[in-house]
Amino acid sequence: MTAAVEVVDLVKHYPKSAHNAVDGLSFRVPPGEIFGLLGPNGAGKTTTVGILTTRVVLTSGYAAIGGVDVARDPVTARSKVAVVPQRVNLDRSLNVRQNLLFHASYHGIGRTERHALASELLERMGLADKSRARVDDLSGGQAQRLMIARALIHHPEVLFLDEPSTGLDPQARLFVHDRINDLRAEGVTVVLTTHDMKEAEKLSDRVGVVDHGRMLTVDTPAALIKSLPGSGTVDTRIRPNGADRDKLTELLAELPGVRRVEPLSGPATADGTDPEIALRLYVDADPGSLLGPVAAELHEHDVVVSDLSPGSASLEDVFIELTGRDLR
Amino acid sequence: MTSTARSSLRAFWAVLGRDVFVTGREMPSFLAQVLVQPVALLFIFGKVLGQLGYTQPGYAQILLPGMIALNSFLVALQNTSFPLVLDFSYSREIEDRLLAPLPITWVAVEKMLFGALRGLFAALLMFPIGLLMLGNVTWDLSGLPFAVLCMVLGSLAGGAVGLTVGAAVPPRRINIMFAVILAPLIFTGASQFPWAQLDQLRWFQVVCAFNPLTYVSEGMRGALLPDVPHMAPWVCVLALLGACAVFGALGMRFFLRRALD
């Protein structure tokens, strides 16, 4: 089957830069998948999306949308993609509905069809009552939804969403997430770039983590989390009763199945009693099976345990593990 | 025709249709933009100075073809360049067009063509206004077709220069664009004086020869007022075609550089 998006050994070098912005990147997105492209700032995500949407000229390698080489036939490739950018780029000279109608006409959709599609999409995006509004009068969330409607009106094969919920309130974010999930049902391929790991984990079928222009790993969020050494966690909140915190940390880290222990910031008590401390244990084994041994160990040292709960690592842990803690 | 060419052509007309639609909605501000300046120039130089006796009686006759030429060239130039500077900087509105299924150079051509259409429209408007304002205008009407040809070529050349300027000027420099580009073009374009009579001021004549507007003014004046000394018509046509080709190609290169990374 032809991939919806195929990128092979992609390289992009900007003239004045010392490094390649994209440096031998490869990945493949099958039709109908929601693919999350993650990476720190400057990792090469935006450049990669730019190449796939024909706005950035590649230096070498191959990039294709639905089997169409974007470098050799950008015009056909453009008819297959749609982009929802992070920054509003709606046509301010047109009202809400006209933004959809003219976009559809650029893509050769007939008059009757584009009017029907515009009405349907405005309804679906909760903008039916804004149909005649000026673009400048829309809120951030409304503009975002209008850009999604505009992107969908020409039936793209692949939709690129750049940071879809940056700056949106929780309601608007949920609404956008629901619409993205609808697209999955319709078989539209979605490539999502985001910094929001919870969003990526929630929406994506698979994610790829990019850094320094290279693909570090590609898999389902669940598999990535599972592959992380110490992917289970046990969070505990304790009152040391005079016992030394570092000593306790050391003791817990020596338990079989525990990889490492990190302090979490816990609430300090103001009444002069021992402050509570919170620790997170990263464990290889099933976190549930470690609750007993951890409790026993703490009990043996007269430590009061106020909370002990099993959990699992998140995509964010995977991301930090792969790309490091350094600021970009 | 291949399906790509067909879809590109359809997209081209749709993009042009969008610009025409927006102009229709903004008609009053468009009219103000294209008429205030040339009408004021025509009124002061053609009417006021004439009535006060500071200009010779025939001057208004010389001025009107020049003002029509000025409008065709300058309105085309401004209406191509200003929107482009804004589009490429803060508004980013043009992205929607750059992602439409047509070659990027066609988007550039559309911008140029649309600017030229606005220039042509502004020039045509000057005919009735000039006739009304100046009263008796004695033109050789047999020269009208050639005058129209010059107007069309002048608008296209204005659009081509506008594309070059609009794609080359960074947004933070837009305020000096008026001072260093538009004002010199207005006053070195032979629209207020016959170029052929500048032989006493040779250096200025040479400067004017670098302004494409000179050839529009001279071509129109020569066609409508054959008795006034003027440049040979074929020189005007050739120079304007050359300006269209050179600035069109240059503008398209700059446009591509701005549109693609």
Side-chain angles (χ1 to χ4, degrees):
Chain A
M1 190 164 51
T2 315
V5 177
E6 186 165 20
V7 172
V8 182
D9 296 333
L10 193 65
V11 174
K12 173 65 189 180
H13 182 81
Y14 288 106
K16 283 171 191 157
S17 161
H19 304 282
N20 289 337
V22 175
D23 193 16
L25 191 78
S26 301
F27 67 98
R28 201 166 185 278
V29 183
E33 184 173 84
I34 299 186
F35 185 82
L37 200 55
L38 313 181
N41 288 328
K45 305 183 298 285
T46 308
T47 304
T48 305
V49 171
I51 290 170
L52 285 167
T53 54
T54 74
R55 289 297 307 283
V56 177
V57 182
L58 56 80
T59 307
S60 70
Y62 172 78
I65 300 286
V68 175
D69 186 332
V70 298
R72 294 177 65 175
D73 190 0
V75 175
T76 308
R78 281 199 277 276
S79 69
K80 290 171 176 280
V81 300
V83 188
V84 178
Q86 207 178 329
R87 252 187 64 179
V88 177
N89 67 350
L90 293 163
D91 197 331
R92 286 183 180 78
S93 309
L94 303 174
N95 70 25
V96 167
R97 191 183 169 85
Q98 286 160 354
N99 260 279
L100 298 184
L101 293 175
F102 275 100
H103 179 89
S105 75
Y106 304 156
H107 285 266
I109 294 170
R111 176 180 286 271
T112 325
E113 195 190 347
R114 64 176 180 252
H115 277 275
L117 279 170
S119 304
E120 183 205 317
L121 281 165
L122 286 174
E123 188 67 46
R124 202 165 120 193
M125 290 294 158
L127 292 168
D129 56 337
K130 291 278 169 194
S131 162
R132 287 167 175 282
R134 286 157 42 92
V135 167
D136 284 332
D137 295 338
L138 297 181
S139 72
Q142 289 165 341
Q144 171 82 354
R145 267 137 60 198
L146 181 56
M147 290 197 292
I148 296 178
R150 182 183 67 179
L152 293 177
I153 203 166
H154 66 277
H155 306 298
E157 284 179 32
V158 184
L159 174 65
F160 289 90
L161 285 165
D162 193 8
E163 299 285 345
S165 52
T166 305
L168 299 188
D169 59 31
Q171 288 86 350
R173 188 179 310 142
L174 269 180
F175 187 89
V176 167
H177 287 178
D178 287 347
R179 296 293 81 76
I180 294 172
N181 272 319
D182 292 348
L183 295 179
R184 188 203 310 268
E186 288 166 32
V188 179
T189 309
V190 177
V191 176
L192 181 77
T193 59
T194 182
H195 287 120
D196 184 340
M197 295 298 140
K198 286 213 175 69
E199 179 172 86
E201 196 173 334
K202 177 179 166 191
L203 294 173
S204 315
D205 298 315
R206 288 190 311 147
V207 297
V209 181
V210 183
D211 200 10
H212 303 297
R214 295 174 159 276
M215 189 62 87
L216 300 179
T217 186
V218 183
D219 214 327
T220 62
L224 284 179
I225 292 166
K226 223 172 155 196
S227 72
L228 189 69
S231 63
T233 62
V234 175
D235 286 357
T236 177
R237 198 184 291 284
I238 53 180
R239 207 176 280 260
N241 278 340
D244 180 47
R245 189 172 91 167
D246 293 342
K247 182 112 187 297
L248 280 175
T249 307
E250 226 168 86
L251 280 169
L252 290 172
E254 277 165 15
L255 284 172
V258 176
R259 280 192 80 95
R260 63 179 202 279
V261 179
E262 282 187 12
L264 295 174
S265 51
T269 47
D271 57 3
T273 58
D274 261 356
E276 269 194 349
I277 55 174
L279 299 171
R280 173 170 288 176
L281 286 63
Y282 289 87
V283 302
D284 283 332
D286 170 28
S289 68
L290 270 163
L291 295 182
V294 171
E297 181 75 20
L298 292 169
H299 184 70
E300 211 169 283
H301 291 83
D302 273 344
V303 172
V304 180
V305 180
S306 59
D307 184 35
L308 192 60
S309 49
S312 75
S314 65
L315 198 55
E316 183 159 309
D317 297 313
V318 177
F319 186 81
I320 296 291
E321 173 80 17
L322 286 169
T323 60
R325 284 178 179 273
D326 295 342
L327 284 177
R328 307 301 170 105
Chain B
M1 196 163 31
T2 66
S3 71
T4 311
R6 234 188 346 258
S7 82
S8 299
L9 212 57
R10 211 166 38 197
F12 182 85
W13 287 116
V15 170
L16 189 62
R18 179 263 174 209
D19 283 343
V20 171
F21 174 82
V22 170
T23 303
R25 282 201 352 183
E26 295 168 347
M27 201 39 106
S29 66
F30 172 57
L31 287 180
Q33 186 202 340
V34 303
L35 288 181
V36 170
Q37 180 187 301
V39 166
L41 277 172
L42 195 61
F43 178 69
I44 297 296
F45 289 99
K47 194 92 182 164
V48 176
L49 294 186
Q51 281 196 348
L52 295 179
Y54 287 107
T55 57
Q56 288 172 14
Y59 183 61
Q61 301 288 337
I62 287 173
L63 192 60
L64 182 56
M67 285 298 114
I68 299 171
L70 178 78
N71 238 18
S72 75
F73 182 77
L74 227 58
V75 168
L77 192 158
Q78 291 186 47
N79 278 279
T80 314
S81 58
F82 275 113
L84 266 189
V85 173
L86 292 181
D87 261 342
F88 275 130
S89 55
Y90 95 104
S91 80
R92 300 245 149 229
E93 280 173 19
I94 202 169
E95 281 177 359
D96 197 25
R97 259 71 46 83
L98 295 176
L99 288 170
L102 76 167
I104 303 237
T105 45
W106 290 28
V107 180
V109 170
E110 188 277 334
K111 286 283 152 209
M112 199 159 60
L113 187 66
F114 177 67
L117 282 177
R118 285 176 82 137
L120 198 60
F121 179 75
L124 286 173
L125 274 180
M126 284 306 287
F127 276 95
I129 290 174
L131 294 179
L132 263 168
M133 197 185 287
L134 302 180
N136 59 334
V137 170
T138 44
W139 276 347
D140 180 358
L141 290 181
S142 67
L144 207 56
F146 187 76
V148 171
L149 174 71
C150 289
M151 232 163 62
V152 171
L153 288 177
S155 304
L156 286 171
V161 175
L163 183 70
T164 307
V165 171
V169 171
R172 60 179 188 282
R173 298 248 181 275
I174 190 165
N175 47 356
I176 68 159
M177 181 173 140
F178 202 89
V180 303
I181 298 175
L182 289 182
L185 282 178
I186 292 174
F187 295 105
T188 60
S191 49
Q192 303 92 347
F193 47 83
W195 180 84
Q197 288 180 313
L198 285 178
D199 39 12
Q200 296 301 311
L201 212 58
R202 182 60 87 182
W203 68 269
F204 188 60
Q205 196 176 35
V206 173
V207 168
C208 292
F210 284 100
N211 185 347
L213 173 56
T214 298
Y215 303 93
V216 194
S217 305
E218 282 293 299
M220 289 196 67
R221 200 176 286 125
L224 297 173
L225 304 164
D227 296 337
V228 178
H230 57 267
M231 215 180 257
W234 67 268
V235 175
C236 297
V237 172
L238 215 61
L240 287 173
L241 287 174
C244 288
V246 170
F247 285 103
L250 203 61
M252 230 134 27
R253 261 188 58 185
F254 289 161
F255 187 91
L256 276 176
R257 208 159 62 191
R258 291 298 288 273
L260 296 174
D261 271 333

